[in-house]
């Protein structure tokens, strides 16, 4: 049966025919015709879709060559010419690795091994790469989630990693390895015996084909399959990511492994290191460790990790969940312990709320729009309000009444980091260190808080109409007036209000916010306003405002005054709005996806540096000390309200009308 060849394979096919016809056969042997293959013609069925240019043609050529070898080897075996397969060693030229005596016994004379020229160089590259030599391969990436069976890992971290994998942000297999791995599997499918052998180095390179590995580390006795079942229960494809979702999900789970660390983290981290090395081979390798563990276990885990699980053939990055200590002293001790084992550039202190698009929009809106940058100072801005409300769920109750409180959980990182990004001077560049240098200047310039500038609250337990503060004084509401003592913001109050179960303002029906944050910039009144008499009696209602709103109704709003259509001259305050759901027909990625991608890329501008951490604690520790001394008693408030009444008077004392009043 004729075999159709691509044009680029013609020369090599002629070479195979000429060599094959020159093979000497015993005189007593009659040449038998080869049986027809049990599979379709090669050229018409070579449908492989790869990214490399000319891949389809090369796959066809290689497959044709392999099948020709298969026919001759099968003929040799039928007549007893060859008892053992011969190993091939690919060097500058193709040679047989067996001794002369072995060749004489096991193979017919004058038999030569034929390998297409493009395959010679590829196999040589693969063979050398298995032992760490120079090769054009992207570094592998291993991501370990320590505390893999916890709620955070199951509901947030693993889904975020899968979303990144699906979207192509995690390393894929090496093109060469995946390319020839498919071909080897093809031979296995179409022949009872594999008759084409590669050297052991090449086989090792073919087997080490994964460029990414996801590792779950816990104390539970689970198999890889057990962890995959746990993870699979929380993985879904986003609305705009449904193509090949099942295939991608299976591929992701195949790269997920479990490590039983037991109760000795030193031994557990050694096991993790050995398992990672199996994925990495001898190539360049990078590692990320996500420490999703309780505060009391953080030091033991981090020290064991530093001593036993870091790679020496790439970078290591450590993700640490908040809270970063409980006060200035405990945070300092924790930081010193980390810096004794890691470099500052390795540490990524994560607050998932900083991964919201709103946070990135603060700097984009200011530094990329000429209309706003000149206004960003005390000359034009009267006050800034940062309003945050979290859903009143069991998770929030567990954090707040577990002695963390709203100050440690939200204010210390999320609120202060938001203010720092908003108020910082223009950085030298968008490099993470340049941005963090400017943020820490803002934090160090914030005036020390007094009790008169702070309102603490605690919501009532609606289940039995009794107050939770009978058993705990941990606040669930925090409001404060902050001042930044520098030339740009001198005298401008930054009012903060954050808590659990606050009402969503500007709605007729009370709706509880679901982790929503809003930043309102109120500008000064127009000096000598010509239209003052045409404005309603309360001039504050016509103040220009720039509003940045986060999920679930992402928007940028600009409040301006305009003329009402019709006869006469009547002014009205209206909003120019950019609603994300109307403008952009895409699903907004989860904040964990954003921040994990930043860690992979080495972008650390949304992660707190040690000096930022210290400056933030210096602002809040005096208030925390007063709470610990029972000097301050939180004011009670109802779920679905605007918080304690004291917050209203706080705004009035600083000449600010809250946006939700």
């Amino acid at each position: 049966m004729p075999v159709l060849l691509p044009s680029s394979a013609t020369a090599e096919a002629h070479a195979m025919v000429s060599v094959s016809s020159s093979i000497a056969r015993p005189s007593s042997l009659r040449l038998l015709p080869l049986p027809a293959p049990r599979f379709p013609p090669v050229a018409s069925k070579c449908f492989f879709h790869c990214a490399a240019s000319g891949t389809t043609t090369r796959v066809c050529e290689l497959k044709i060559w392999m099948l020709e070898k298969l026919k001759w080897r099968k003929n040799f075996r039928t007549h007893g010419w060859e008892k053992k397969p011969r190993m091939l060693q690919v060097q500058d030229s193709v040679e047989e690795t067996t001794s002369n005596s072995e060749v004489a016994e096991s193979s017919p004379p004058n038999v030569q091994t034929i390998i297409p020229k493009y395959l010679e160089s590829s196999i040589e590259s693969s063979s050398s790469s298995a032992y760490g030599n120079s090769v054009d391969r992207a570094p592998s990436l291993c991501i370990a989630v320590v505390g893999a069976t916890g709620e955070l890992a199951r509901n947030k971290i693993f889904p975020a990693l899968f979303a990144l994998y699906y979207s192509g942000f995690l390393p894929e297999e090496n093109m060469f390895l995946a390319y020839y791995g498919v071909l080897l599997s093809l031979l296995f499918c179409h022949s009872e015996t594999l008759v084409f052998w590669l050297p052991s180095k090449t086989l090792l390179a073919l087997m080490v084909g994964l460029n990414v590995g996801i590792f779950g580390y816990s104390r539970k006795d689970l198999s890889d399959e057990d962890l995959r079942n746990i993870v699979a229960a929380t993985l879904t494809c986003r609305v705009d990511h449904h193509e090949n979702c099942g295939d991608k999900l299976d591929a992701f789970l195949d790269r997920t492994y479990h490590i039983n660390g037991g109760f000795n983290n030193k031994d557990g981290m050694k096991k993790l290191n050995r398992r990672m090395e199996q994925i990495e081979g001898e190539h360049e390798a990078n590692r990320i460790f996500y420490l999703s563990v309780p505060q009391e276990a953080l030091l033991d885990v981090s020290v064991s990790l530093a001593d036993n699980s870091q790679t020496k053939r790439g970078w290591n990055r450590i993700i640490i969940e908040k809270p970063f200590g409980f006060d200035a002293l405990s945070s300092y001790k924790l930081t010193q312990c980390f810096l004794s084992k890691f470099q500052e550039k390795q540490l990524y202190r994560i607050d998932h709320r900083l991964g919201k698009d709103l946070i990135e929009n603060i700097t984009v809106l200011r530094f990329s729009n000429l209309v706003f940058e000149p206004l960003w100072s005390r000359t034009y801005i009267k006050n800034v309000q940062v309003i945050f409300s979290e859903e009143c769920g069991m998770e929030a109750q567990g954090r707040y009444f577990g002695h963390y409180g709203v100050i440690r959980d939200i204010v210390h990182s999320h609120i202060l980091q938001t203010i720092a990004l908003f108020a910082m001077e223009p950085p030298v560049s968008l490099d993470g260190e340049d941005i963090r240098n400017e943020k820490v200047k803002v934090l160090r310039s914030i005036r020390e808080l007094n009790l008169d500038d702070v309102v603490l609250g605690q919501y009532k337990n609606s289940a039995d109409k009794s107050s939770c503060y009978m058993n705990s004084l941990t606040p669930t509401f925090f409001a404060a007036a902050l001042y930044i003592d520098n030339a740009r913001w001198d005298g401008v109050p930054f009012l903060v209000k954050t808590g659990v179960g606050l009402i969503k303002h500007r709605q007729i029906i009370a709706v509880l916010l679901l982790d929503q944050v809003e930043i309102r910039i109120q500008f000064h009144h127009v000096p000598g306003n010509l239209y003052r008499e045409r404005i309603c009696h309360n001039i504050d209602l016509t103040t220009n405002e720039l509003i940045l709103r986060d999920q679930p109704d992402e928007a940028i709003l600009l409040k301006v005054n305009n003329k009402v259509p019709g006869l006469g001259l009547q002014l009205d305050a209206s909003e120019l709005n950019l609603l994300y759901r109307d403008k952009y027909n895409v699903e907004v990625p989860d904040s964990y996806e954003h921040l994990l991608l930043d860690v992979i890329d080495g972008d650390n501008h949304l992660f707190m540096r040690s000096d930022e951490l210290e400056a933030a604690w210096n602002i809040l520790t005096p208030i925390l000390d007063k709470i610990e001394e029972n000097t301050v008693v939180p004011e009670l408030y109802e779920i679905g309200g605007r918080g304690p009444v004291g917050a209203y008077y706080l705004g009035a004392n600083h000449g600010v009308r809250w946006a939700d009043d």
Side-chain angles (χ1 to χ4, degrees), residues 427-613:
V428 175
S429 71
L430 291 179
D431 179 75
E433 292 304 319
D434 289 336
I435 294 177
R436 298 206 288 188
N437 289 340
E438 299 302 329
K439 287 195 299 177
V440 74
K441 293 177 184 178
V442 174
L443 294 174
R444 288 173 176 169
S445 300
I446 294 179
R447 189 183 305 171
E448 182 178 347
L449 274 176
N450 296 319
L451 281 179
D452 294 338
D453 296 328
V454 176
V455 175
L456 300 178
Q458 192 176 83
Y459 73 82
K460 294 181 180 180
N461 189 336
S462 58
D464 56 4
K465 303 301 181 181
S466 63
S467 58
C468 295
Y469 92 101
M470 296 297 293
N471 299 319
S472 170
L473 293 179
T474 306
T476 62
F477 176 94
F478 175 89
L482 303 175
Y483 286 87
I484 302 174
D485 292 331
N486 62 18
R488 181 180 291 269
W489 299 109
D490 185 33
V492 177
F494 285 75
L495 264 69
V496 173
K497 181 161 68 172
T498 178
V500 176
L502 301 182
I503 191 174
K504 182 175 181 180
H505 63 83
R506 296 162 53 82
Q507 297 287 341
I508 298 176
I509 302 176
V511 179
L512 294 185
L513 287 172
L514 304 179
D515 291 2
Q516 186 173 20
V517 62
E518 184 174 272
I519 302 174
R520 283 183 170 255
I521 302 101
Q522 293 187 347
F523 295 90
H524 289 295
H525 302 304
V526 178
N529 195 334
L530 297 175
Y531 294 96
R532 185 181 185 90
E533 296 180 357
R534 303 290 180 174
I535 299 175
C536 60
H537 65 283
N538 190 347
I539 193 172
D540 288 334
L541 296 178
T542 60
T543 300
N544 296 129
E545 287 184 316
L546 177 62
I547 306 163
L548 307 180
R549 186 177 296 161
D550 194 21
Q551 295 180 1
D553 299 318
E554 299 93 334
I556 299 176
L557 310 173
L558 181 61
K559 186 177 177 182
V560 298
N561 298 314
N562 66 283
K563 177 184 177 299
V564 177
L567 300 177
L569 184 60
Q570 182 180 354
L571 270 61
D572 183 36
S574 303
E575 289 181 348
L576 307 178
N577 59 67
L578 168 61
L579 300 179
Y580 278 37
R581 66 173 182 267
D582 296 336
K583 175 67 175 178
Y584 305 106
N585 188 26
V586 295
E587 187 173 354
V588 179
D590 185 76
S591 57
Y592 278 94
E593 298 175 37
H594 184 176
L595 294 175
L596 284 171
L597 182 59
D598 282 350
V599 175
I600 294 172
D601 293 339
D603 183 356
N604 55 13
H605 79 283
L606 293 177
F607 301 85
M608 295 182 72
R609 201 167 59 189
S610 296
D611 51 356
E612 293 180 78
L613 195 66

Side-chain angles (χ1 to χ4, degrees), residues 35-186:
R38 293 174 295 174
F39 35 87
V42 177
S44 62
K45 297 298 181 182
C46 285
F47 296 138
F48 289 88
H49 302 283
C50 298
S53 176
T55 300
T56 304
T57 302
R58 289 191 171 191
V59 171
C60 292
E61 295 172 5
L62 181 61
K63 186 174 177 184
I64 292 170
W65 171 78
M66 287 181 173
L67 292 176
E68 289 295 328
K69 294 292 296 180
L70 174 63
K71 294 177 183 178
W72 281 111
R73 294 268 184 173
K74 184 173 182 180
N75 202 24
F76 296 159
R77 289 179 181 277
T78 303
H79 300 286
W81 290 6
E82 192 169 3
K83 303 299 182 184
K84 299 179 181 179
R86 291 181 298 118
M87 296 295 294
L88 305 180
Q89 181 178 3
V90 182
Q91 298 176 348
D92 294 336
S93 61
V94 181
E95 299 177 356
E96 298 178 6
T97 60
T98 55
S99 64
N100 293 335
S101 59
E102 290 174 334
V103 172
E105 294 177 0
S106 62
S107 62
N110 302 326
V111 176
Q112 298 182 9
T113 303
I114 309 160
I115 297 181
K117 293 181 180 179
Y118 64 83
L119 182 57
E120 292 182 16
S121 59
S122 296
I123 295 180
E124 183 176 4
S125 174
S126 172
S127 178
S128 64
S129 70
Y131 282 80
N133 295 337
S134 176
V135 64
D136 185 16
R137 166 179 170 166
S140 62
L141 175 63
C142 286
I143 303 175
V145 181
V146 182
T149 57
E151 184 178 355
L152 176 62
R154 288 185 287 108
N155 295 332
K156 291 295 184 179
I157 302 175
F158 283 116
L161 290 173
F162 171 63
L164 293 177
Y165 177 79
Y166 187 99
S167 302
F169 291 108
L170 297 185
E172 295 287 350
E173 297 94 338
N174 180 271
M175 178 58 68
F176 167 75
L177 299 177
Y179 174 66
Y180 292 111
V182 172
L183 293 176
L184 286 180
S185 64
L186 176 67

